[in-house]
Amino acid sequence: MRVVFAGTPEFAAVALDALLHAGFAVPLVLTQPDRPAGRGLKLQASAVKQRAVAAGIPVAQPQSLKLDGRYAADAAAAREALLAADADVMVVAAYGLILPQWVLDLPRLGCLNIHASLLPRWRGAAPIHRAIEAGDTESGITIMQMDAGLDTGAMCVVERERIRPDDTTAMLHDRLAALGGRLVVEALEMAACGGLSQTPQPAEGVSYAHKIEKAESSIDWRQPAAEIERRLRAFDPFPGGVATLAGEAVKLWRAEVVEGRGEPGEVIAPGPVVACGEGALRLTELQRAGGKRGPAAAFLQARPIAVGERFDA
């Protein structure tokens, strides 16, 4: 079976590794164009491109796949590359571009997507973050037959993964990436012998995982402590939580829910323990502007926090 792969970040690169390890022929990889990264803003290849180049696989990086409009030439070149690849199926994982109908129709077996949620819950761009933020107790991987909608296609393979009480997005991401790689190999093996079933998504229980915005990092201390604690884990590694202490921006990474009462944002006990709209948080991992993230004890050595001080949004 010839498999074209489309993906960009590390989550997708893990799946590409799994396909190659399983022995599938991958004649072409699609990934996002190189982007400026780091302090020097040098162009950096995506994780998927790095894996593909190392494996000697041709790479296409169109700005768009729409055959009309500003990047029509890019799309036309990608179309020629896809036709030449003569793929049986396309596997898509966190690619970042919308696939037009002509792409969906091109492979003999269509396009399979590796989605990091239990569809139809958390369709969209940030399913791992939003599941943790919402307090879900489980997530998982859905291998989906793609259609023209936003994560609306039929489900082919589903496996659940428990969300642990201390899970961050980074931690759950790594487990789901490995699970996605395993499941897409199983799905392709079933498809090769005509045994890949498809189940339409239920109409009930649809929710959307909107893209994470940096502005969401601002902490609203009027919220319950449990909600803020989940947001900190959901926004690790990006964008973290941000609060202001005596005019200085402080990043918050980890916290524990504890009992306590006070004005929201007020430091009510050493630790520091900060009052919230309901309950309180003991901040356990913080970061000063320009510094490194680390335990609260190390932060307090450099910048003591007195009871009665106040964190603002």
Side-chain angles (χ1 to χ4, degrees):
M1 181 178 287
R2 293 171 64 80
V3 183
V4 164
F5 186 84
T8 298
E10 182 63 26
F11 179 88
V14 172
L16 177 58
D17 287 342
L19 293 174
L20 295 174
H21 182 74
F24 287 98
V26 182
L28 178 67
V29 161
L30 300 182
T31 191
Q32 286 276 316
D34 298 357
R35 305 290 190 199
R39 291 187 176 181
L41 294 179
K42 294 182 179 179
L43 288 179
Q44 182 171 318
S46 71
V48 164
K49 180 179 178 180
Q50 293 177 43
R51 299 287 216 290
V53 169
I57 302 171
V59 176
Q61 296 177 270
Q63 295 276 1
S64 170
L65 290 168
K66 296 180 180 179
L67 292 171
D68 54 4
R70 181 180 178 185
Y71 299 110
D74 263 21
R79 180 181 173 85
E80 291 304 314
L82 284 167
L83 288 169
D86 191 27
D88 296 294
V89 66
M90 177 186 285
V91 169
V92 183
Y95 178 30
L97 287 184
I98 295 173
L99 300 190
Q101 193 64 46
W102 72 262
V103 177
L104 298 175
D105 293 340
L106 200 58
R108 177 175 60 87
L109 297 175
C111 300
L112 295 179
N113 178 249
I114 307 171
H115 189 74
S117 82
L118 301 173
L119 291 169
R121 185 156 177 80
W122 302 127
R123 295 173 179 171
I128 300 175
H129 306 74
R130 299 306 184 190
I132 293 175
E133 181 185 17
D136 290 4
T137 58
E138 63 178 2
S139 180
I141 291 290
T142 303
I143 306 297
M144 175 189 67
Q145 186 78 46
M146 296 181 71
D147 61 16
L150 176 62
D151 299 329
T152 56
M155 302 177 293
C156 303
V157 182
V158 179
E159 187 163 321
R160 298 174 182 272
E161 173 68 26
R162 175 175 171 260
I163 299 179
R164 301 166 186 167
D166 64 341
D167 265 337
T168 64
T169 285
M171 296 161 63
L172 182 56
H173 166 281
D174 289 352
R175 299 204 306 278
L176 291 179
L179 178 58
R182 176 170 65 80
L183 290 186
V184 78
V185 167
E186 292 179 8
L188 291 178
E189 290 172 344
M190 288 187 281
C193 61
L196 186 63
S197 63
Q198 298 185 17
T199 303
Q201 293 185 36
E204 301 78 23
V206 175
S207 58
Y208 288 91
H210 298 288
K211 181 181 177 181
I212 302 297
E213 302 291 347
K214 191 173 182 179
E216 295 182 72
S217 63
S218 181
I219 299 299
D220 182 355
W221 298 100
R222 296 169 297 180
Q223 293 182 324
E227 290 186 15
I228 298 174
E229 188 273 340
R230 292 199 305 265
R231 284 175 69 89
L232 295 182
R233 291 189 288 110
F235 292 177
D236 183 356
F238 175 85
V242 177
T244 303
L245 181 66
E248 178 185 359
V250 178
K251 272 212 165 185
L252 313 179
W253 292 106
R254 299 300 292 269
E256 299 172 351
V257 178
V258 296
E259 294 183 358
R261 296 180 65 181
E263 289 297 315
E266 177 188 2
V267 179
I268 58 175
V273 177
V274 185
C276 303
E278 181 182 311
L281 287 176
R282 176 180 289 111
L283 306 182
T284 59
E285 190 173 345
L286 305 93
Q287 181 179 359
R288 298 185 76 179
K292 295 181 179 180
R293 60 186 285 183
F299 183 98
L300 293 173
Q301 285 182 342
R303 202 293 189 191
I305 300 176
V307 174
E309 287 196 78
R310 187 184 186 91
F311 282 92
D312 296 310

